[in-house]
């Protein structure tokens, strides 16, 4: 995905109100599919229209800050001359809004070409066009940008300059915590193709009994899943030659599940299940009996509810932030962890809002493969032919776990999130 989309997704996942104002979207209202000469600075009409699009985007952005009290806006545009940056700094700065410029500079021909093929030929500017011709036109557009391009060196501006996708990074006047988080996040991004495989541990003895938390062993069916996992991973596209690391939590059920995977393994405390505090070891029915108010309060606002002496989903997201940062840095990773943890990781990659994420179905005995693409994340699910209980609990229900449907053979489903 483009860095802009990923940064917004990351900030929103961390509950920072962030939004993109893409000047191209405004320009496309009048000029949906321009050719490269539209971006030639000698094209006066093109210049006028591009300027108008930038002004409209900035106007809406300022409105968003003042009326909706937004926190981080990304003005997604080329902004590649000193004059344009001065205009932005003055127009926005006068309202007391801090401005940070992000320049991504690339002179590596291979990187440029792979970026054009991956991102630009799938952009709305080239929708329905021959990818070869689109790539050629975009190359010409870059030549037009180059004629007036002035790399950022203004010492009085806050900026981060990423050279050849973070091979080298120049930072200037970074002023606060949020800016430094964004810089650090940007430094960790890469554009190499990769996938992330997620699996819950196999069915545990606690899952069978309907109890939450604990550190139980796998059930006999859970152990069967651990034996089947190398083959399911192979079907899901993990090949032994791939340099893949398997991450587990420090709990027995995830370590047992990963035991037959012939890859390097790493245990993370941060991947342990949501801490259910005084409710640890109870069934949902027992929680409803012993802590009726808590049971209701949790379902009223599951994302924010914190177990007595334990955690909320919001707490879990903060605990998982280093995991996400490391996942962005890594290439292929397989993660064997828990229901609540997978919900949070999945919500990050699939952009799921906080009111929905704690209620998502993440079944046992299923590998979820996520592949980030230029404009979204592709999701594939590989369901093992090994029965298990369903630990999904609908809102306000404390009913006992039911057997989940299990396919006759391993099953695959595919979905694309944009
Ligand atoms: O937030 P809810 O829906 O209760 O799901 C989290 C629960 O899932 C469970 C199973 O019910 O996780 P897991 O077996 O994946 O470790 C519990 O241990 C955990 O408390």
């Amino acid at each position: 995905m483009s860095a802009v989309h990923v940064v917004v997704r990351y900030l929103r996942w961390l509950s920072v109100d962030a939004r993109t104002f893409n000047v191209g979207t405004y320009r496309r209202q009048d000029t949906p599919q321009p050719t490269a000469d539209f971006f030639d600075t000698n094209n006066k009409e093109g210049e006028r229209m591009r300027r108008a699009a930038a002004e409209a985007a900035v106007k809406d952005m300022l409105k968003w800050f003042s009326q909706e009290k937004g926190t981080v806006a990304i003005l997604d545009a080329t902004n590649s001359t000193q004059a344009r940056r001065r205009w932005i700094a003055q127009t926005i700065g006068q309202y007391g809004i801090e401005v940070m410029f992000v320049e991504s500079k690339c002179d590596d021909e291979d990187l440029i070409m792979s970026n054009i093929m991956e991102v630009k030929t799938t952009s709305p500017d080239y929708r329905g066009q021959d990818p070869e011709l689109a790539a050629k036109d975009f190359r010409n557009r870059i030549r037009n940008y180059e004629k007036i391009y002035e790399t950022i060196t203004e010492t009085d501006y806050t900026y981060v300059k990423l050279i050849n996708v973070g091979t080298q990074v120049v930072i200037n006047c970074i002023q606060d915590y949020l800016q430094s988080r964004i810089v650090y996040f940007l430094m960790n991004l890469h554009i190499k193709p990769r996938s992330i495989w997620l699996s819950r541990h196999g069915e545990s003895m606690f899952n069978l009994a309907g109890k939450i938390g604990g550190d139980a062993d796998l059930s006999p069916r859970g152990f069967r899943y651990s034996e089947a996992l190398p083959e399911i991973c192979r079907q899901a596209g993990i090949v032994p030659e791939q340099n893949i690391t398997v991450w587990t939590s420090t709990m027995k059920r995830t370590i047992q599940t990963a035991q037959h995977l012939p890859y390097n393994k790493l245990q993370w405390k941060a991947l342990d299940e949501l801490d259910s505090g005084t409710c640890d070891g109870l069934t949902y029915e027992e929680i409803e009996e012993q802590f009726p108010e808590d049971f209701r309060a949790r379902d009223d606002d599951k994302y924010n509810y914190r177990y007595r002496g334990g955690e909320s989903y919001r707490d879990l997201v903060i605990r998982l932030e280093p995991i996400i940062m490391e996942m962005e840095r890594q290439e292929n990773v397989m993660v064997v962890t828990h229901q609540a943890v997978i919900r949070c990781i999945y919500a990050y990659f699939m952009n799921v809002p906080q009111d929905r994420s704690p209620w998502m179905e993440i079944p046992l005995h299923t590998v979820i493969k996520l592949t980030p693409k230029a404009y979204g994340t592709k999701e594939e699910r590989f369901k093992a032919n090994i029965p298990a209980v369903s630990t999904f609990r609908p809102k306000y229900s404390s009913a006992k776990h039911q057997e989940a449907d299990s396919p006759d053979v391993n099953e695959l489903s595919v979905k694309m999130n944009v």
Side-chain angles (χ1 to χ4, degrees), residues 200-201 207 213 253 273 284 298 302 313 338-339 343:
R200 285 180 67 186
H201 51 77
N207 292 150
R253 55 194 187 276
E273 181 55 311
Y284 290 117
R298 182 163 199 254
K302 199 171 173 191
Y313 273 84
H338 305 265
Q339 176 161 258
R343 283 182 178 140

Side-chain angles (χ1 to χ4, degrees), residues 98-137:
E98 284 174 37
V99 181
M100 175 167 87
F101 291 98
V102 179
E103 176 174 334
S104 174
K105 185 176 177 177
C106 186
D107 52 20
D108 177 323
E109 267 305 311
D110 292 342
L111 276 179
I112 295 174
M113 269 334 277
S114 72
N115 184 262
I116 291 178
M117 291 315 284
E118 171 72 7
V119 183
K120 301 303 174 196
T121 59
T122 49
S123 128
D125 279 359
Y126 295 104
R127 190 162 290 146
Q129 297 186 21
D130 173 27
E132 289 292 319
L133 293 178
K136 212 167 146 215
D137 184 81

